[in-house]
């Protein structure tokens, strides 16, 4: 449903960046896909009948007590290690006290000043401004364990939000699902690339968590959620200059509900433009949470955050401290997948992609899909071409990410490999393959079935093709001469004419072979 | 062994257990005798909030059947018990003495209750308590106070005054309690019964409606040291559902109670828990008991625990802090009371929450929630909660040092005998001082027991004797307690509880005992 929001004034992005330096902070919540919840034995399946996965513990019934899920602690440690963090040898849970109907105990069992992991980093690749790639180091402040809340469903009213609703229903299935919150340090020095850095970070983090096999990381299902903090300060020089870094941080806003890679980029871009407009008008930024609206591409004001927000944290007395032994941490370190940077280098090398191509692949979140597609028999070039083409465009259009989009319609690496094999076998040419792909994405079936149904097949009659080639060579003596002189690139012009003559029903590769064979 | 009395309600649990095992009596007969006794006297005492006639008899019948078919049964199988209303009981109301939970029937059993059921103890009912275990007199129960069977005008102690008065009025041979700052021991002291607060983590807290999680400990209540040990053995042990539960066998409490030996034991009298502020009769009964222990062959020395002076202050920061958070769940959303605010159309969740908490919590609960919320607030945390935790460490160090010199520590359990209902209701500080001798054990997590040491000369009311032992050495409490109990029985010519006056029967005094506002 579309909602209208009081439009805030915004300043053109480039103009904003000419006067202000943006600083970001990203908080990512990740639901672990452990079999059971953080503090009880309830299952964690997504989409179950409301309130069917609950017990006295996760309903917060009087007298019930939590017990820590060891698997969740192990996942937290593995995430910490993969983010190059230090792992606490002793840490406690803490109670974060506040009232909310979807929080059964009216406190969230979380960690406060003793996180399980702290002081790490994740390197992400961003555009260096001249077509190449450079590494931006995102410093991680902490990763800590906590439990998810239930989910409120507001019934009645126009917006599905609590305002105007007749009543609300609460589903506690999600209450107590293990969460890891990963918090960055303030990200400075990104300058105009701030939105890009944020998107690249979330994409890299998602890739990493998927490789660790600790979470479904489905942003659209909420198993990975991002809150983006943005503030602006006066621009005094280059983003990474000492002069610029010395300028105190401005007041920040925290944008919630940013649930796709694309939204991360858009929401930050929007907030930078909005902050600039507020500051330009001489007003000051209100420290508040903002809600991101995917449909309209704007944020609206949420709750005002003030220093008076007081969660009265204190160590959780119902739980004994978590004290992972050195041996356990070492054993978990041994289970880590290949570090992302090394993996990326290896893949780029194996696939023969340029820096730019590789970055596009990562930004699209397609590395894993391509890896699986190549494993299924496709060439790396074809895999990249097909994944970054139509499917990426549609995922963007639907405001979701590529992996989720593909999973949602059952479009798999094997599908792409099948499409590629149809091209390689000579059955389809490129334009036919694109038509088949459209059919597959429209749910008409697999590539072979779609090609059959549409009667798409290259004419295998080499006689017709050869005749067309002869006609085209005869009509273009100048070009033919160049090719004969070794200027192979000129063949392209002739191939186009041959294909036109064949009404597209021919294999361009074969046409090229014939032309070259006749002229060399 | 002692002969079985004609009135089965007068017998100890140990004697009843033998009579049941030898099939001299049946559990149905025994349970019925207690239900009859409840019918006759509880109108005057008001020890029970809920009596489960059918459930208790059904459980008794089940045990009798199993015994007939020669099943191996636990020692206490068939002996009925009363359960403090702070413990979740599946299918039985659990109110914690609060209007907030009126009508709440838990869908699950506390681990302790599961253990009682598995051991075959029929549950007679749920006993009265100060609301959410906050108090030393049961006067803070939303359902009215219980009365001390020694003098119905007086308090039976608290928060477990329902359990202590049940025992002292022979309405059950055994009862459960919970002790956060003395709620098992102080009621035992003022009713001439026995109660133990086990080592923190020795008995599962799963299913105990939490007051202060780091202090709460469930424990056994009985009329003799041996009975209490028998129940302790049933209740104790590791529970994977309670993260703070200790994974170790229950100390050999029953053996220790049977051994009843203090020869060569080093006993420390805590200098700071006695003297000024303690009633004369309390002091003389205490000194007399110490002398009896010397006569039995113990070596007695005075031990100083200098930081105990700060225990009460630290306790009244830690307890309200944890309680303010533990009680946050009572929000009218999922169970218990729900009150709609007056004069509000379509009230919000927050308004309903607020109206419910206003109507559902009594003044003492509100007082402590406010105290705790304040103590945890940013800017105050370090000065209050933080300092209190430091004091807690110092108190634990005092215990460590003391137990380096002696095997057990002793003191009077409470500074006075039972006071009159209403006497301290308007003076929270005076009420809090009742627990001055019992609180240090909760702060340090060590076990403690109270047993009767006689009657004070000036008012003829019971006096309690407290024994404290190092963590997981709960058996020492029983060795010392049973030895002293034996000597005192000789000294008084029988159990001290035998001196209790007869109660008016069948509710004749029920209304006349209602306390004045
Ligand atoms: Zn659960």
């Amino acid at each position: 449903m579309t909602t209208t929001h009081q439009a805030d004034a915004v300043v053109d992005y480039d103009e904003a960046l000419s006067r202000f330096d943006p600083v970001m902070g990203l908080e990512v919540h990740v639901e672990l896909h452990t079999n059971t919840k953080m503090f009880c034995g309830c299952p964690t399946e997504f989409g179950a009948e409301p309130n069917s996965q609950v017990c006295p513990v996760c309903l917060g019934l009087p007298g019930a007590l939590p017990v820590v899920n060891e698997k969740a602690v192990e996942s937290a440690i593995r995430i910490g290690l993969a983010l190059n963090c230090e792992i606490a040898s002793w840490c406690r849970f803490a109670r974060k006290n506040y009232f909310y109907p979807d929080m059964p105990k009216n406190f969230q069992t979380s960690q406060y000043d003793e996180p399980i992991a702290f002081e790490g980093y994740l390197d992400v690749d961003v555009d260096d401004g001249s077509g190449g790639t450079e590494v931006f180091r995102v410093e991680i402040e902490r990763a800590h364990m906590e439990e998810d809340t239930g989910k409120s469903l507001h019934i009645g009213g126009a917006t599905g939000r609590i305002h105007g609703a007749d009543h609300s229903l609460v589903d506690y299935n999600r209450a107590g699902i293990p969460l890891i919150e990963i918090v960055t340090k303030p990200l400075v020095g990104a300058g105009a690339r701030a939105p890009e850095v944020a998107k690249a970070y979330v994409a890299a983090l998602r890739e990493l968590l998927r490789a660790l096999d600790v979470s479904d990381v489905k942003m659209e299902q909420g198993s990975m959620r991002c809150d983006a903090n943005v503030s602006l300060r006066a621009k005094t020089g280059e983003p990474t200059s000492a002069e610029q870094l010395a300028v105190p941080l401005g007041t920040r806003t925290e944008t919630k509900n940013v649930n796709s890679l694309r939204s991360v980029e858009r929401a930050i871009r929007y907030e930078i433009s909005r902050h600039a407009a507020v500051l330009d008008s001489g007003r000051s930024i209100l420290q508040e949470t903002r809600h991101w609206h995917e449909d309209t591409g704007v944020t609206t004001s949420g709750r005002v955050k003030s220093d008076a927000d007081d969660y009265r944290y204190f160590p959780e007395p119902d739980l004994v401290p978590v004290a992972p032994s050195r041996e356990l941490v070492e054993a978990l370190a041994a289970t880590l997948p290949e570090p992302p940077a090394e993996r990326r280098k290896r893949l780029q090398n194996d696939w023969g992609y340029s820096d730019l191509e590789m970055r596009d692949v990562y930004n699209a979140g397609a590395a894993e899909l391509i890896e699986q597609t190549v494993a299924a028999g496709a060439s790396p070039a074809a895999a990249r071409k097909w994944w970054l083409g139509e499917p990426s465009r549609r995922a963007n259009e639907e405001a979701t990410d590529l992996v989720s989009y593909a999973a949602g319609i059952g479009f798999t690496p094997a599908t792409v490999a099948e499409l590629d094999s149809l091209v390689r076998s000579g059955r389809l040419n490129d334009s036919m393959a694109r038509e088949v792909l459209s059919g597959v994405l429209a749910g008409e079936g697999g590539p072979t079935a779609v090609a059959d149904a549409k009667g798409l097949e290259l004419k295998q009659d080499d006689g017709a093709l050869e005749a067309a080639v002869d006609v085209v060579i005869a009509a273009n003596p100048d070009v033919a001469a160049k090719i004969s002189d070794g200027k192979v690139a000129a063949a392209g012009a002739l191939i186009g004419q041959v294909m036109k003559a064949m009404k597209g029903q021919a294999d361009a590769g074969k046409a090229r072979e014939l032309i070259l064979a006749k002229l060399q | 062994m002692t002969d079985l009395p004609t009135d089965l309600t007068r017998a100890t649990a140990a004697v009843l257990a033998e009579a049941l095992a030898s099939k001299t009596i049946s559990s149905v007969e025994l349970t019925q005798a207690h239900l009859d006794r409840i019918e006759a006297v509880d109108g005057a005492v008001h020890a029970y909030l809920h009596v489960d006639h059918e459930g208790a008899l059904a459980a008794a019948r089940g045990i009798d059947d199993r015994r007939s078919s020669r099943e191996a049964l636990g020692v206490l199988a068939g002996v009925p018990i009363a359960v403090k209303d702070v413990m979740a009981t599946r299918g039985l109301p659990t109110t914690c003495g609060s209007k907030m939970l009126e009508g709440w029937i838990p869908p699950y059993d506390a681990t302790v209750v599961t253990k009682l059921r598995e051991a075959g103890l029929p549950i007679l009912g749920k006993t009265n308590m100060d609301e959410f275990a906050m108090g030393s007199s049961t006067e803070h129960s939303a359902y009215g106070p219980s009365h001390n069977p020694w003098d119905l005008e007086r308090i039976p102690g608290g928060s477990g005054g329902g359990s202590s008065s049940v025992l002292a009025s022979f309405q059950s041979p055994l009862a459960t309690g919970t002790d956060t700052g003395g709620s098992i021991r102080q009621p035992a002291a003022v009713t001439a019964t026995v109660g133990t607060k086990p080592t923190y983590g020795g008995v599962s807290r799963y299913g105990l409606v939490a007051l202060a999680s780091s202090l709460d400990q469930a424990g056994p209540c009985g009329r003799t040291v041996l009975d209490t040990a028998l129940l302790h053995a049933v209740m104790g042990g590791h529970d994977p559902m309670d993260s703070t539960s200790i994974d170790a066998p229950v100390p050999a409490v029953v053996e220790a109670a049977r051994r009843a030996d203090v020869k060569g034991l080093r006993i420390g009298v805590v200098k700071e828990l006695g003297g000024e502020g303690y009633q004369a009769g309390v002091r003389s009964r205490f000194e007399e008991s110490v002398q009896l222990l010397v006569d039995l062959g113990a070596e007695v020395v005075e031990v100083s625990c200098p930081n105990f002076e700060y225990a009460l202050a630290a306790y009244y920061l830690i307890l309200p802090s944890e309680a303010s958070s533990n009680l946050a769940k009572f929000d009218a959303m999922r169970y218990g009371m729900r009150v709609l605010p007056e004069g509000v159309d379509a009230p919000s969740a927050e308004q309903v929450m607020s109206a419910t908490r206003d109507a559902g919590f009594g003044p003492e609960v509100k007082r402590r929630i406010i105290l705790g919320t304040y103590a945890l607030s940013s800017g105050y945390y370090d000065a209050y909660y933080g300092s209190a935790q430091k004091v807690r460490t110092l108190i634990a160090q005092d215990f460590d040092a003391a137990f380096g010199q002696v095997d057990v520590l002793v003191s009077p359990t409470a500074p006075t005998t039972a006071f009159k209902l209403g006497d301290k209701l308007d003076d929270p500080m005076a009420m809090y001082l009742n627990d001055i001798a019992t609180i240090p054990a909760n702060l340090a997590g060590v076990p403690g027991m109270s047993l009767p040491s006689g009657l004070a000369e000036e008012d003829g009311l019971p006096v309690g004797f407290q024994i404290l032992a190092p963590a997981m050495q709960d058996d020492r409490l029983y060795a010392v307690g049973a030895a002293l109990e034996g000597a005192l029985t000789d000294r008084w010519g029988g159990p001290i509880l035998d001196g209790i006056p007869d109660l008016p029967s069948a509710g004749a005094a029920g209304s006349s005992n209602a306390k004045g506002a």
Side-chain angles (χ1 to χ4, degrees):
Chain A
M1 70 202 82
T2 307
T3 51
T4 49
H5 306 290
Q6 184 83 49
D8 285 295
V10 291
V11 168
D12 172 71
Y13 183 73
D14 292 333
E15 202 191 316
L17 265 298
S18 68
R19 291 196 301 281
F20 296 104
D21 178 51
V23 176
M24 301 179 295
L26 297 167
E27 294 169 19
V28 174
H29 285 87
V30 182
E31 277 186 2
L32 299 179
H33 65 195
T34 46
N35 291 328
T36 56
K37 291 187 180 180
M38 188 75 218
F39 301 116
C40 66
C42 287
T44 55
E45 236 153 276
F46 181 80
E49 191 69 14
N51 296 310
S52 63
Q53 300 181 345
V54 292
C55 73
V57 177
C58 56
L59 282 179
L61 292 191
L65 294 175
V67 176
V68 172
N69 180 338
E70 293 296 331
K71 280 274 171 264
V73 174
E74 290 181 11
S75 294
I77 293 173
R78 292 179 73 235
I79 291 170
L81 290 170
L83 289 171
N84 308 291
C85 287
E86 299 204 31
I87 304 300
S89 57
W90 190 91
C91 64
R92 288 178 294 186
F93 284 93
R95 291 188 184 178
K96 181 181 183 180
N97 294 287
Y98 64 100
F99 283 86
Y100 205 77
D102 64 17
M103 202 166 52
K105 298 169 292 185
N106 286 318
F107 61 79
Q108 182 188 29
T109 307
S110 179
Q111 292 194 288
Y112 180 47
D113 47 3
E114 300 170 10
I116 181 86
F118 51 95
E119 297 290 330
Y121 62 86
L122 182 64
D123 285 337
V124 299
D125 283 354
V126 288
D127 193 338
D128 68 358
S130 53
T133 285
E134 71 179 349
V135 168
F136 189 96
R137 174 158 292 188
V138 175
E139 295 199 56
I140 306 292
E141 184 175 299
R142 56 188 281 152
H144 72 249
M145 302 177 278
E146 60 185 30
E147 58 180 339
D148 212 341
T149 59
K151 227 189 248 176
S152 298
L153 208 72
H154 305 297
I155 310 293
T159 62
R161 289 184 171 268
I162 194 158
H163 273 288
D166 295 330
H167 64 280
S168 302
L169 297 173
V170 189
D171 177 5
Y172 292 102
N173 282 353
R174 200 180 70 176
I177 298 229
L179 281 185
I180 305 295
E181 181 176 342
I182 300 162
V183 183
T184 67
K185 293 191 173 172
L187 302 183
V188 297
R193 294 179 303 175
E196 187 203 343
V197 164
K199 183 184 173 187
Y201 164 69
V202 177
L205 186 58
R206 192 177 59 175
E207 191 92 7
L208 177 68
L209 295 166
R210 198 178 280 137
L212 285 166
D213 194 22
V214 291
S215 169
D216 297 337
V217 285
K218 288 182 181 160
M219 294 187 85
E220 75 287 357
Q221 284 185 2
S223 59
M224 183 173 182
R225 314 195 275 273
C226 181
D227 299 340
N229 290 285
V230 172
S231 67
L232 296 188
R233 54 182 174 181
K235 181 167 179 171
T236 58
E238 283 307 302
T240 52
S241 65
E243 195 191 359
Q244 180 65 68
L245 295 176
V247 179
L249 302 186
T251 304
R252 69 191 154 85
T253 53
E254 181 180 3
T255 304
K256 302 249 179 206
N257 195 23
V258 191
N259 289 336
S260 73
L261 283 182
R262 190 161 156 266
S263 299
V264 171
E265 191 170 19
R266 287 174 72 207
I268 289 175
R269 219 180 149 86
Y270 177 83
E271 274 298 281
I272 289 173
S273 292
R274 190 186 65 83
H275 277 222
V278 172
L279 295 172
D280 276 350
S281 73
R283 287 171 298 143
S284 42
I285 295 291
L286 202 56
Q287 189 176 334
E288 62 180 351
T289 57
R290 309 274 306 176
H291 293 288
W292 168 247
H293 302 277
E294 186 65 54
D295 47 2
T296 48
V298 302
T299 66
T300 53
S301 179
R303 199 167 53 88
V304 173
K305 275 203 158 184
S306 69
D307 294 332
D309 256 347
D310 186 351
Y311 294 116
R312 304 189 308 281
Y313 282 102
F314 72 104
E316 167 59 278
D318 282 330
L319 291 169
V320 290
V322 175
S325 68
R326 253 179 99 104
E327 294 73 36
L328 175 69
V329 174
E330 277 166 20
L332 292 171
T335 69
L336 292 187
E338 184 181 8
E342 280 172 38
R343 170 180 151 81
R344 183 170 172 157
K345 249 178 237 149
R346 175 176 63 79
L347 291 177
Q348 185 175 356
N349 201 42
D350 288 354
W351 294 342
Y353 293 174
S354 70
D355 283 356
L356 187 63
E357 287 169 340
M358 199 63 186
R359 196 177 65 237
D360 287 346
V361 164
Y362 264 73
N363 285 347
E368 198 138 306
L369 294 168
I370 290 175
E371 193 179 22
Q372 290 163 15
T373 306
V374 171
S379 75
R384 185 177 61 79
K385 180 177 86 174
W386 294 123
W387 279 112
L388 297 197
E390 193 60 14
S392 284
R393 200 185 61 74
R394 292 200 189 191
N396 249 335
E397 224 170 62
E398 292 182 18
T400 179
D401 58 88
L402 184 57
V403 170
S404 310
Y405 166 75
I409 59 164
F411 185 73
T412 68
T415 319
V416 175
E418 185 183 334
L419 184 66
D420 183 48
S421 81
L422 291 176
V423 174
R424 287 213 275 186
S425 71
R427 170 163 179 185
L428 302 180
N429 64 13
D430 190 66
S431 68
M432 295 162 94
R434 283 175 203 279
E435 200 181 334
V436 168
L437 177 62
S438 292
V440 173
L441 294 177
E444 292 166 17
T448 309
V450 172
D452 289 350
K454 290 184 187 288
L456 291 171
E457 181 147 25
L458 275 179
K459 293 220 168 72
Q460 294 304 317
D461 179 359
D462 285 355
L465 182 60
E466 207 169 340
V469 167
D470 288 340
V471 169
V472 169
I473 287 176
N476 296 278
D478 298 354
V479 182
K482 277 186 192 165
I483 297 169
S484 301
D485 287 349
K487 291 187 177 153
V488 175
L494 299 189
I495 296 169
Q497 291 191 34
V498 171
M499 293 306 284
K500 202 173 167 191
M502 296 291 292
K503 298 195 167 64
Q505 300 281 304
D507 183 341
K510 205 155 249 170
R512 178 188 167 89
E513 266 171 42
L514 280 170
I515 291 167
L516 293 181
K518 284 177 190 288
L519 294 176
Q520 283 181 331
Chain B
M1 257 288 158
T2 328
D3 289 335
L4 192 63
T6 343
D7 180 355
L8 293 178
T9 65
R10 293 272 165 168
T12 66
V15 166
L16 292 170
E18 281 189 14
L20 286 161
S22 64
K23 297 194 200 166
T24 311
I25 56 168
S26 72
S27 179
V28 167
E29 189 184 344
L30 178 61
T31 302
Q32 188 59 56
H34 283 97
L35 292 170
D36 292 346
R37 174 72 181 171
I38 293 167
E39 193 75 23
V41 303
D42 204 44
V45 180
H46 188 47
Y48 284 98
L49 291 179
H50 179 83
V51 178
D52 186 20
H53 296 87
E54 283 174 24
L57 287 170
R61 222 171 287 124
I63 284 298
D64 287 342
D65 290 349
R66 287 169 61 192
R67 206 183 298 278
S68 307
S69 53
R70 297 175 176 281
E71 250 183 74
L73 297 171
V75 177
L76 290 176
V79 178
I81 189 166
V83 171
K84 188 177 180 184
D85 207 30
V86 75
M87 296 177 172
T89 42
R90 188 187 191 114
L92 273 185
T94 301
T95 68
C96 284
S98 180
K99 288 286 172 199
M100 192 57 101
L101 278 176
E102 192 163 24
W104 184 56
I105 313 264
Y108 77 108
D109 274 334
T111 298
V112 164
V113 173
T114 303
K115 285 176 182 257
L116 296 177
R117 293 197 204 270
E118 283 172 354
L121 285 83
I123 294 171
L124 293 166
K126 307 293 292 286
T127 62
N128 196 15
M129 56 187 282
D130 288 290
E131 184 175 6
F132 290 110
M134 298 182 191
S136 307
S137 68
T138 68
E139 290 168 291
H140 293 302
S141 167
Y143 304 97
S146 298
H147 301 263
N148 192 324
W150 285 85
D151 175 352
L152 295 173
E153 303 284 325
R154 291 180 188 267
I155 60 114
S159 66
S163 286
S164 69
S165 53
V166 153
L167 294 171
S169 58
F170 306 98
Q171 298 188 67
S172 173
L174 295 169
T176 65
T178 54
D179 189 313
T180 305
S183 286
I184 287 175
R185 290 163 288 161
Q186 180 258 6
V190 298
T191 55
T193 59
V194 182
T196 299
K197 180 202 95 69
T199 299
Y200 183 78
V203 176
S204 169
R205 290 188 298 114
Y206 188 79
L208 271 51
V209 180
L211 169 53
S213 310
S214 73
L215 301 163
D216 293 348
Q217 185 53 215
C221 307
R223 284 192 291 261
T224 69
V225 173
L226 177 60
D227 284 5
T228 309
L230 289 167
L231 181 56
H232 189 146
V234 169
M235 293 171 72
H238 180 240
D239 178 11
M241 298 290 277
D242 175 1
S243 160
T244 60
S245 162
I246 294 171
D247 193 359
V250 185
V253 292
V254 175
E255 293 75 356
R258 293 198 195 280
R259 198 167 66 238
D261 184 15
V262 294
K263 261 191 214 75
L265 211 70
R266 289 175 63 86
I267 294 177
V269 173
V270 185
K271 188 175 137 207
E272 287 77 8
L273 302 181
E276 210 185 319
Y278 286 72
Q279 192 179 316
V282 168
R283 292 207 310 248
S284 56
R285 287 286 84 91
F286 174 70
E287 283 152 17
E288 182 181 279
S289 292
V290 169
Q291 187 54 49
L292 287 174
L293 288 168
V294 172
D295 297 346
L296 289 167
E299 190 187 329
V300 174
V301 295
E302 192 182 68
V303 171
S304 176
C305 295
N307 294 296
F308 282 17
E309 188 189 334
Y310 310 110
L312 192 71
Y315 176 83
Y316 275 102
L317 287 168
I318 293 168
L319 178 142
S321 296
E322 292 184 9
S324 70
S325 174
N326 282 331
L327 295 177
K329 62 176 57 167
F330 299 101
D331 61 4
M333 289 298 124
R334 293 166 301 279
Y335 45 77
M337 190 184 211
R338 177 176 290 175
V339 172
L340 300 181
E342 264 175 65
V344 182
D345 250 6
S348 69
E350 285 79 2
Q351 287 170 319
V352 174
M353 231 180 250
S354 163
T356 303
R357 290 169 70 82
D358 186 29
F361 287 140
E364 182 62 24
V365 175
K366 284 178 187 161
R367 179 181 295 128
R368 296 199 196 182
I369 289 175
I370 291 167
L371 276 172
T373 303
Y374 187 78
L376 287 175
S377 297
S378 71
Y380 300 99
Y381 180 92
D382 290 338
Y384 294 129
Y385 188 79
S387 310
Q389 290 295 358
K390 284 180 195 147
V391 169
R392 192 170 186 174
T393 306
L394 293 174
I395 286 168
Q397 287 169 358
D398 277 1
F399 271 114
D400 285 347
F403 289 129
Q405 304 169 53
V406 297
D407 300 304
V408 295
L409 294 169
V410 295
S411 77
T413 309
T416 67
T417 55
F419 49 89
K420 286 223 158 87
L421 287 161
D423 263 10
K424 298 189 179 176
L425 197 51
D426 298 327
D427 185 353
M429 261 320 282
M431 191 74 93
Y432 296 170
L433 280 166
N434 269 294
D435 295 334
I436 193 138
T438 44
I439 279 171
N442 299 83
L443 288 171
V446 303
M449 170 190 281
S450 178
L451 75 154
S453 59
L455 307 176
E457 305 91 346
E458 60 270 33
D459 53 19
L461 291 168
V463 173
F465 184 88
Q466 178 176 235
I467 311 164
L468 303 168
M472 288 311 278
Q473 309 293 330
D474 305 44
D475 49 330
R476 290 187 196 169
L477 307 175
Y478 290 94
V480 176
L484 178 60
E485 181 182 56
L488 283 164
T489 305
D490 293 346
R491 148 84 175 77
W492 291 83
I496 290 154
L497 195 56
D498 280 1
I500 197 165
D502 285 339
L503 285 169
S505 65
S511 52
S512 70
N513 277 295
K515 75 176 164 54

